[in-house]
Amino acid sequence: ASSDPIAEALTRYGTIGLQTRRRTVQRLVADDGITYGGGHGDTGARPWLLDPLPLVLGADEWARLERGLDQRARLLDALFTDLLGPRRVLTERILPAELVAGHAGFLPPAHGIDLPGGRKLPLIATDLARSVDGEWLVVSDRTQAPSGAGYAIANRRIISRAMESIH
């Protein structure tokens, strides 16, 4: 017997069982009204897409991704901290001031705010995709409201119901 619970479940479910679980996931997402988009001039809310099968990464691949994502999160936090305070990235022309001042989310009154704690961006999400060469690429970063945490909780709840025998 395999020690891999995902492989065991796939064998046990078979094609029909997996299709049934995919429909169950879609129904649970719809029943809960989980959507994305619909804000900031978007064309409207779209159903949240959730695959019942997890993407399994090896420990080495995850360790490499984790290091890169941590580095990226620290960079974004340092950039945000600088923009709240000394704005060296603007005064030293590392970034053009128009890029920041022209952004719809720019809030001039936020300059000088000293947020408590070590990190100023408590939640950072990075959307990834694989290139045709198999390399990971950053699609986007999200630093605004912590909706991603809500999606993660919903994903876990739905998948645990649809794929109940995978632990």
Side-chain angles (χ1 to χ4, degrees), residues 30-43:
D31 288 352
D32 286 354
I34 304 170
T35 62
Y36 70 98
H40 305 293
D42 201 342
T43 58

Side-chain angles (χ1 to χ4, degrees), residues 97-140:
E98 309 82 57
L99 183 71
V100 175
H103 189 276
F106 177 61
L107 298 172
H111 183 258
I113 292 177
D114 186 22
L115 299 173
R119 285 205 160 168
K120 307 307 178 196
L121 292 173
L123 291 174
I124 298 170
T126 301
D127 296 329
L128 300 172
R130 279 199 202 255
S131 73
V132 294
D133 299 329
E135 291 297 316
W136 287 103
L137 303 172
V138 172
V139 176
S140 65

Side-chain angles (χ1 to χ4, degrees), residues 12-24 162-163:
R12 191 172 50 258
Y13 293 155
T15 303
I16 301 299
L18 287 173
Q19 290 171 347
T20 300
R21 280 160 178 76
R22 184 177 301 278
R23 285 191 299 275
T24 298
M163 307 292 279

